[in-house]
């Protein structure tokens, strides 16, 4: 297994367009997370899944954002009607939670630029 | 809401000098995790501390978890240029949540 992968690695779009990002987690991991990171800040939690169930969603996530993990494997994050403020690195992470221990493994991220 | 804060935000050291970054949470944490992000890269897991007062070492890196489980530190002895990057601490939010809350990170620059 080569770790968490994300596609695309870079995306440039015009304001108002929709974009969709894909994340493929480590195969045996049951949890999948989406984060957003802007320059000089730590990753900011957006949402996470346990298997196919979306268990938590950040209050910062507007209704223009939607995430799915239809079969409990890969996940997609869609941003509708993009705004310049959506420009950021979108990171996906996966983990296998056992008891109270959990290590999240991050993918390389998708860098979004909204013009 | 729960906050995790790190100081300093930036640190420039001469190669061979020591470096320490401090992490403080507004609430008690079940565990604390540390990540390193190289310039242009993604966060890479370094270590997890679970027990109150726990100290763990990884070669030149020493990690501590405070007695009250609200603070933590990372100390690097004799820095090398390969230590350059941003170091983040992160803790799980309160309750049974998978939400990991990151500090804003400490960016380390090492002058050869």
């Amino acid at each position: 297994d080569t770790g968490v992968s994300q596609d695309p690695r870079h995306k440039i779009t015009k304001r108002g367009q929709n974009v969709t990002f894909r994340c493929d987690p480590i195969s045996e991991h049951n949890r999948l997370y989406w984060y957003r990171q802007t320059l000089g800040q730590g990753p900011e939690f957006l949402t996470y899944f346990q298997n196919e169930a979306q268990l938590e969603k950040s209050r910062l996530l507007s209704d223009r954002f939607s995430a799915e993990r239809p079969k409990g494997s890969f996940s997609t994050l869609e941003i509708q009607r993009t705004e310049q403020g959506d420009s950021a690195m979108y990171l996906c992470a996966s983990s296998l939670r056992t008891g109270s221990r959990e290590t999240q493994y991050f993918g390389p991220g998708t860098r979004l630029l909204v013009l | 809401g729960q906050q995790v804060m790190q100081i300093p935000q930036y640190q420039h050291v001469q190669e061979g000098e020591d470096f320490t970054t401090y992490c403080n949470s507004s609430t008690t944490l079940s565990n604390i995790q540390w990540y390193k992000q190289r310039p242009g890269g993604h966060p890479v897991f370094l270590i997890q501390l679970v027990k109150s007062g726990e100290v763990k070492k990884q070669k030149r890196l020493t990690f501590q978890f405070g007695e009250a489980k609200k603070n933590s530190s990372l100390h690097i002895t004799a820095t090398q240029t390969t230590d350059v990057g941003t170091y983040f601490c992160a803790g799980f939010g309160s309750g049974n949540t998978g939400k990991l809350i990151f500090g804003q990170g400490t960016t380390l620059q090492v002058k050869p």
Side-chain angles (χ1 to χ4, degrees):
Chain A
D1 190 282
T2 57
V4 179
S5 61
Q6 291 187 246
D7 184 69
R9 295 290 306 276
H10 300 90
K11 179 72 177 179
I12 300 174
T13 191
K14 292 183 179 178
R15 190 175 52 188
Q17 297 294 305
N18 299 343
V19 294
T20 300
F21 309 141
R22 177 180 170 123
C23 171
D24 286 89
I26 294 171
S27 57
E28 65 267 25
H29 285 183
N30 57 356
R31 286 193 170 188
L32 186 149
Y33 299 80
W34 286 99
Y35 293 87
R36 178 171 62 192
Q37 186 177 26
T38 54
L39 199 61
Q41 300 296 317
E44 178 183 41
F45 171 83
L46 294 178
T47 188
Y48 88 98
F49 295 83
Q50 180 154 308
N51 301 313
E52 65 274 12
Q54 188 172 18
L55 294 189
E56 193 168 347
K57 200 172 169 182
S58 169
R59 287 173 293 174
L60 301 172
L61 213 60
S62 77
D63 55 8
R64 296 185 297 106
F65 288 71
S66 62
E68 293 183 344
R69 195 184 183 197
K71 296 182 181 178
S73 56
F74 74 92
S75 175
T76 57
L77 176 69
E78 182 184 16
I79 309 174
Q80 295 182 326
R81 306 180 302 283
T82 52
E83 301 173 357
Q84 288 183 325
D86 297 331
S87 295
M89 173 77 87
Y90 289 83
L91 292 163
C92 174
S94 72
S95 71
L96 179 65
R97 183 157 182 149
T98 53
S100 63
R101 291 190 175 269
E102 178 174 351
T103 299
Q104 295 188 15
Y105 294 88
F106 282 82
T110 295
R111 189 173 294 280
L112 173 66
L113 178 60
V114 181
L115 301 176
Chain B
Q2 183 175 4
Q3 289 186 313
V4 176
M5 294 147 286
Q6 278 184 261
I7 56 170
Q9 189 173 359
Y10 299 99
Q11 185 83 58
H12 296 250
V13 300
Q14 197 72 40
E15 189 173 21
E17 292 182 338
D18 293 354
F19 159 75
T20 304
T21 173
Y22 300 92
C23 175
N24 288 283
S25 170
S26 58
T27 59
T28 302
L29 299 169
S30 59
N31 63 67
I32 190 95
Q33 303 188 5
W34 286 90
Y35 290 80
K36 177 182 178 181
Q37 186 171 22
R38 293 182 186 276
H42 58 275
V44 174
F45 175 81
L46 293 177
I47 205 160
Q48 177 176 251
L49 304 171
V50 178
K51 299 176 184 175
S52 169
E54 189 170 11
V55 178
K56 285 189 175 180
K57 289 194 173 187
Q58 287 181 352
K59 297 182 180 178
R60 296 177 293 103
L61 277 61
T62 302
F63 304 84
Q64 290 189 315
F65 199 10
E67 294 290 341
K69 302 182 78 173
K70 292 182 72 174
N71 62 327
S72 182
S73 65
L74 158 59
H75 179 82
I76 302 177
T77 304
T79 54
Q80 300 174 358
T81 54
T82 52
D83 296 325
V84 163
T86 301
Y87 293 85
F88 294 100
C89 63
F92 284 107
S94 55
N96 185 23
T97 173
K99 179 180 175 180
L100 199 58
I101 299 172
F102 282 79
Q104 74 269 42
T106 296
T107 298
L108 173 65
Q109 294 281 1
V110 179
K111 289 179 280 188

